[in-house]
């Protein structure tokens, strides 16, 4: 019997039997591996007498195809059986009780940041970000607060190194510097984010949130600042009109500087924002000091504008009737469930009160 016939008989029988994947792979390598039976036959072709060579080569190719096809079929068959067995075993039991579904809530501070960003974006402000770990230059010096300036004491800074060069930013104002250093005027940005001061009681936490605003262009004046804040506060508190006053103040990075209070009163035990004879301080602002513009190479003879810094947590407390700031950062699940926002239930991004 010729070699080819022997191979054919032997392997056809083998391939008809019941095989698993490792066994079939073994057969494949016995036949077609580097020194496999079929591969060796191919190497022999050159030494066969010329008269027989053509037929031998043709028979060998036919046998090779036949075995190869059989092996492929067998592999397919084995894989199908495995899939079917798995499907049978892992069939879903639709009568099982469903798993408990818990939907998370959006933290009031996150909700408030979203609201603030939407309100300002409607009048052309874009959102910038800066890192929590700042350098001393961006946080103080570039903002016209040189070393030994008394305003540095107000900030109770968390320094991160002995040389006092790295710190946790004490306000979002350094984002003004970062923005003006990286782009060219005009600028119209807000920068919400975390800020840090060594301070802790019912109304102060060592980590809190601010949003910075900066608008620099060729003809910006305090009237624009007033209009912008009036628009923001009425939109934010969802009221038609707001009583607001600018009180002269001092910040090293603005001249003139002001603090803004809004009117309020307590009626039937409820806080009413925007009316009444009492005042609540909500933000600091002013016209950007020319020294700050010069520090970031903006020509202060051509460009000017306003800046403001608002405490976000305070706004969230006022809007949503939360009276202890510390609860914001305690991660009490029950508190979050009560004061948090349903992600699918807020009608528009900043109409938080009408939910
Ligand atoms: N950075 C000030 C603070 O944290 C707030 C502030 C006041 C920001 C006036 C400003 C500004 O941009 O113009 O107390």
């Amino acid at each position: 019997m010729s070699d080819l016939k022997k191979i054919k008989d032997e392997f056809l029988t083998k391939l008809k039997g019941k095989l698993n994947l490792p066994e079939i792979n073994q057969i494949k390598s016995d036949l077609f591996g580097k020194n496999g039976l079929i591969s060796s036959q191919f190497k022999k072709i050159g030494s066969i007498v010329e008269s027989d060579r053509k037929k031998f080569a043709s028979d060998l190719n036919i046998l090779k195809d036949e075995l190869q096809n059989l092996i492929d079929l067998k592999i397919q068959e084995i894989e199908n059986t495995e899939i079917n067995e798995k499907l049978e075993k892992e069939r879903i039991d639709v009568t099982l009780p469903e798993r408990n579904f818990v939907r998370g809530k959006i933290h009031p501070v996150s909700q408030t940041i979203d609201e603030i960003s939407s309100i300002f974006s409607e009048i052309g402000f874009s959102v910038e970000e800066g890192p929590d770990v700042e350098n001393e230059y961006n946080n103080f010096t570039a903002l016209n607060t040189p070393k030994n300036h008394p305003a540095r004491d107000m900030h109770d800074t968390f320094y991160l190194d002995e040389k006092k060069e790295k710190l946790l930013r004490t306000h979002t104002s350094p984002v003004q510097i970062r923005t003006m250093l990286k782009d060219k005027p005009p600028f119209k940005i807000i920068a919400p984010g975390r800020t840090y001061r060594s301070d802790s009681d019912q109304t102060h936490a060592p980590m809190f949130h601010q949003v910075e605003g900066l608008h620099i262009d060729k003809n910006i004046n305090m009237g624009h600042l007033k209009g912008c804040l009036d628009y923001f506060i009425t939109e934010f508190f969802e009221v038609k009109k707001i009583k607001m006053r600018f009180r002269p103040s001092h910040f090293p990075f603005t001249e003139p500087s002001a603090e803004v209070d809004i009117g309020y009163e307590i009626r039937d035990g409820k806080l009413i924002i925007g009316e009444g004879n009492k005042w609540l301080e909500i933000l600091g602002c002013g016209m950007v000091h020319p020294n700050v513009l010069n520090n970031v190479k903006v020509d202060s003879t051509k460009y000017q504008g306003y800046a403001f810094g608002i405490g976000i947590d305070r706004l969230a407390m006022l809007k949503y009737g939360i009276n202890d700031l510390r609860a914001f950062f305690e991660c009490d699940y029950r508190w979050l469930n009560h004061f948090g926002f349903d992600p699918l239930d807020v009608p528009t991004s900043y109409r938080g009160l009408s939910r």
Side-chain angles (χ1 to χ4, degrees):
M1 202 178 355
S2 78
D3 283 352
L4 295 191
K5 177 94 176 68
K6 240 193 270 167
I7 295 175
K8 182 171 175 173
D9 286 351
E10 182 187 339
F11 281 88
L12 283 187
T13 322
K14 271 194 187 173
L15 284 167
K16 276 189 188 128
K18 191 168 161 37
L19 297 167
N20 60 25
L21 216 50
E23 286 164 342
I24 196 100
N25 280 331
Q26 186 57 50
I27 293 179
K28 204 170 163 183
S29 118
D30 289 346
L31 287 169
F32 302 110
K34 204 158 161 242
N35 296 314
L37 292 168
I38 295 289
S39 317
S40 315
Q41 294 298 327
F42 271 103
K43 284 183 202 147
K44 255 172 59 184
I45 292 178
S47 57
I48 284 181
V49 283
E50 209 179 330
S51 53
D52 294 342
R53 197 180 295 156
K54 211 169 164 191
K55 171 150 182 2
F56 178 83
S58 146
D59 286 351
L60 179 55
N61 269 312
I62 291 170
L63 177 61
K64 184 196 101 184
D65 288 347
E66 188 179 0
L67 290 169
Q68 184 75 61
N69 286 341
L70 262 176
I71 288 174
D72 290 347
L73 250 164
K74 204 76 189 173
I75 291 179
Q76 185 76 53
E77 218 172 76
I78 293 171
E79 283 175 350
N80 280 345
T81 319
E82 275 178 7
I83 289 175
N84 285 336
E85 277 171 6
K86 220 168 157 188
L87 280 175
E88 192 60 34
K89 252 195 271 163
E90 295 176 5
R91 189 186 287 172
I92 295 169
D93 181 354
V94 290
T95 64
L96 279 176
E98 79 211 63
R99 246 185 243 151
N100 214 0
F101 178 76
V102 186
R103 191 193 285 166
K105 291 278 182 108
I106 294 176
H107 194 287
V109 171
S110 307
Q111 166 73 19
T112 304
I113 291 177
D114 286 351
E115 293 175 15
I116 295 174
S117 306
S118 314
I119 294 171
F120 279 108
S121 73
E122 290 198 359
I123 50 168
F125 283 81
S126 54
V127 177
E128 286 287 337
E129 280 184 342
D132 293 13
V133 174
E134 252 305 352
N135 56 51
E136 173 282 325
Y137 181 79
N138 289 344
N139 196 82
F140 289 126
T141 308
L143 287 161
N144 200 33
T145 320
K147 296 214 162 69
N148 304 321
H149 191 290
R152 288 204 187 204
D153 293 341
M154 286 174 7
H155 283 224
D156 290 324
T157 314
F158 287 115
Y159 286 100
L160 300 175
D161 60 350
E162 300 254 318
K163 286 196 195 148
K164 297 191 167 180
E165 279 167 0
K166 279 208 159 51
L167 45 81
L168 290 175
R169 65 177 180 187
T170 58
H171 48 180
T172 41
S173 306
V175 187
Q176 292 187 28
I177 303 301
R178 287 179 175 270
T179 306
M180 292 193 284
L181 281 175
K182 94 177 170 214
D183 288 328
K184 286 202 159 50
F187 303 104
K188 198 173 181 189
I189 60 116
I190 57 161
R194 283 187 286 267
T195 46
Y196 305 82
R197 283 180 212 174
S198 171
D199 215 349
S200 184
D201 59 36
Q202 194 177 346
T203 51
H204 294 92
M207 190 275 296
F208 56 105
H209 298 82
Q210 285 191 338
V211 56
E212 194 73 14
L214 175 73
H215 186 186
I216 302 286
D217 208 331
K218 285 194 171 137
N219 288 305
I220 300 296
N221 59 48
M222 263 191 113
H224 295 109
L225 168 62
K226 210 173 160 201
C228 166
L229 291 177
D230 187 275
Y231 158 79
F232 166 67
I233 294 165
T234 48
E235 284 294 305
F236 181 78
F237 286 108
E238 301 176 35
V239 290
K240 289 223 162 56
K241 251 171 73 183
I242 198 110
K243 227 168 110 178
M244 181 168 84
R245 75 174 178 196
F246 280 62
R247 212 166 8 86
S249 184
H250 171 79
F251 299 102
F253 31 88
T254 42
E255 182 57 38
S257 305
E259 278 171 307
V260 172
D261 303 332
I262 53 175
Y264 79 99
E265 67 181 1
I266 311 272
R267 216 185 286 151
D268 304 326
K270 245 188 112 183
L271 176 71
I272 310 287
I273 300 276
E275 321 168 17
N277 298 324
K278 300 203 168 100
W279 295 103
L280 256 175
E281 179 199 322
I282 59 158
L283 62 94
C285 61
M287 299 302 292
V288 176
H289 198 295
N291 288 355
V292 174
L293 296 176
N294 295 338
N295 285 340
V296 293
K297 309 273 177 298
V298 170
D299 185 346
S300 61
T301 61
K302 286 203 187 115
Y303 288 96
Q304 59 178 358
Y306 59 83
F308 53 84
I310 312 177
I312 293 179
D313 313 294
R314 182 81 183 282
L315 287 191
M317 287 169 78
L318 288 172
K319 183 164 178 178
Y320 295 115
I322 299 163
N323 51 28
D324 188 343
L325 174 72
R326 287 168 297 192
F328 273 141
F329 312 121
E330 276 168 1
C331 299
D332 182 331
Y333 191 69
R334 294 159 304 174
W335 183 90
L336 260 177
N337 239 348
H338 180 77
F339 286 105
F341 289 78
D342 189 328
L344 303 178
D345 202 27
V346 182
T348 74
S349 57
Y350 68 81
R351 293 277 167 203
L353 283 180
S354 16
R355 70 189 159 143

